[in-house]
Amino acid sequence: NSLPEPPTIHWHGVRVPNEMDGAPGHTQPPIEPGGEFRYEFTLRDSGTYWYHPHFNSSAQVGRGLYGPIVVEDPNEPEGLGDELVLVLSDLGLQENGELLPADTGGKFGDLFGREGGVLLVNGKIEPTLKVRAGKQQRWRVINAARARYYNLRLRDHRFIRLGGDSGLAARSEDVYGVLVTPGERTDVVFTPASEPGTRTMLRWMPTDRGYGSMFNRPSENMLAIETVDLPPVAPLPIPTELREIRRVDTSTAVHHDMALTIQLANNDVIMGINGVPDWRAEALQVRVGETHVWRVVNDTDFAHPFHLHGYFFQVLDDARVPEWKDTVNVPAKSELSIAIEFDERPGMWMYHCHILDHADVGIMGHLQVLPARPPADEPSGVHSPSHTR
């Protein structure tokens, strides 16, 4: 660690051993200035992942401490396009170019989430991407911003969505736009359709993520796309069926409700799960071998991207294409249910809102995965409640 303060590294979405998860207080102490820690694990799942600190994370991620990881599967279908990783983020800068203080905006920043005023694509301001008409690209998109939502749309173009957090979905989808929330990833095929010599702009579009998020906000330039002066090529057909994904069997699942909550009192902002901020919360206890269904209820005025450490889940919604996720958006005044198989790796894990300012003020929970119950024991059916007193 060559920084003046301690970090950890959380390997977002990667199924690592518990002691490699980078969660202070659960898996390792922060790495002090001048110290070191060796992370070592086997990559087990294909997909688009990223890594970032989990200590003072809103400030450290907001200042650029993150990076992508792509795990390739040699058995994936061919012909999905030339690969390009796009890490989307933003940066808070003062007029003189210096970084804004990490607590800019005070309590309002805690409530709304801090969005930097400078948009970055792979660490650059308005970079140029040169493309050839008809020559497809597979964009692996990572939202590394601490609060900003990205709604990807390009005039006169459509995307083919392949999947996201943990690689390919069960089948591809033809879509006009793709929403990528903080912490989330998406894989899409982009087919350049503009005439040679054309220069277009991929723009950031305001997204309704809660109270005031759409008010008087213009779109902003992100990425210039320049179609080179070469003859167009014929795009290849993208397969519809991508991989087989079994549905999680929830017939014997343990059910649990999680309400994402906000309390405003005495000029303070306290968020939590079931009304309890993380520093007062009891750990939810589960056992290896159990399947859980969590009903995540968001009755607040702000959307929350819900992220689970250590395990993939499926969103229980027949309208969605089946896929494995670790981060999912829960819009304001909505709810969804996710199914999780705790099939291995006991230990203490975390789940939280990935608007990192929201996690800092309480929307974070603790998950204790206990070893499997010995066969001779009779299951009690009793599970420790989370965030209750």
Side-chain angles (χ1 to χ4, degrees), residues 18 42 58 126 133 246 372 382:
N18 183 252
T42 300
S58 178
E126 290 186 35
R246 61 176 178 79
V382 177

Side-chain angles (χ1 to χ4, degrees), residues 86-106:
L86 294 176
V87 182
L88 309 181
S89 59
D90 56 20
L91 194 64
L93 295 178
Q94 304 180 53
E95 290 186 2
N96 63 4
E98 293 183 357
L99 291 165
L100 286 169
D103 59 353
T104 294

Side-chain angles (χ1 to χ4, degrees), residues 133-136 191-192 232-238:
K135 188 69 172 71
Q136 293 155 315
T191 304
V233 298
L236 298 174
I238 301 300

Side-chain angles (χ1 to χ4, degrees), residues 248-258 284 286 290-296 306 313-317 335-342:
V248 174
D249 181 3
T250 61
S251 59
T252 60
V254 177
H255 290 255
H256 190 79
D257 287 348
M258 292 184 178
L284 170 65
V286 307
E290 293 180 341
T291 298
H292 278 226
V293 171
W294 291 0
R295 176 172 166 259
V296 185
F306 185 86
F313 56 76
Q314 290 182 3
V315 180
L316 299 179
D317 181 351
E335 66 177 66
L336 53 79
S337 293
I338 60 176
I340 315 155
E341 295 175 324
F342 296 106

Side-chain angles (χ1 to χ4, degrees), residues 192-260:
S194 299
E195 294 293 323
T198 303
R199 185 178 175 89
T200 58
M201 185 66 68
L202 180 67
R203 298 175 64 85
W204 176 85
M205 307 295 294
T207 303
D208 185 6
R209 66 172 185 87
Y211 181 79
S213 57
M214 297 284 287
F215 178 70
N216 197 27
R217 304 190 71 187
S219 62
E220 299 182 51
N221 291 345
M222 287 176 48
L223 176 69
I225 301 178
E226 181 180 311
T227 306
V228 298
D229 193 13
L230 290 173
V233 298
L236 298 174
I238 301 300
T240 301
E241 302 298 322
L242 297 177
R243 70 165 169 165
E244 184 177 347
I245 296 182
R246 61 176 178 79
R247 297 277 188 174
V248 174
D249 181 3
T250 61
S251 59
T252 60
V254 177
H255 290 255
H256 190 79
D257 287 348
M258 292 184 178
L260 311 179

Side-chain angles (χ1 to χ4, degrees), residues 30-47:
I31 307 165
E32 295 297 330
E36 62 179 60
F37 183 89
R38 181 180 176 86
Y39 292 93
E40 187 171 351
F41 48 85
T42 300
L43 296 168
R44 307 166 56 188
D45 307 284
S46 64

Side-chain angles (χ1 to χ4, degrees), residues 302-380:
F302 293 90
H304 299 288
F306 185 86
H307 172 53
L308 173 65
H309 286 218
Y311 299 88
F312 299 126
F313 56 76
Q314 290 182 3
V315 180
L316 299 179
D317 181 351
D318 291 338
R320 291 176 178 251
V321 174
E323 63 179 312
W324 294 105
K325 298 280 292 173
D326 57 63
T327 308
V328 64
N329 188 44
V330 189
K333 305 298 182 181
S334 75
E335 66 177 66
L336 53 79
S337 293
I338 60 176
I340 315 155
E341 295 175 324
F342 296 106
D343 52 351
E344 56 177 355
R345 291 171 301 123
M348 189 70 80
W349 302 90
M350 301 168 64
Y351 49 91
H352 58 89
C353 175
H354 221 281
I355 293 178
L356 296 175
D357 299 296
H358 290 179
D360 285 350
V361 295
I363 300 189
M364 185 182 299
H366 316 287
L367 173 68
Q368 186 177 15
V369 181
L370 301 171
R373 197 182 302 276
D377 288 0
E378 289 294 328
S380 65

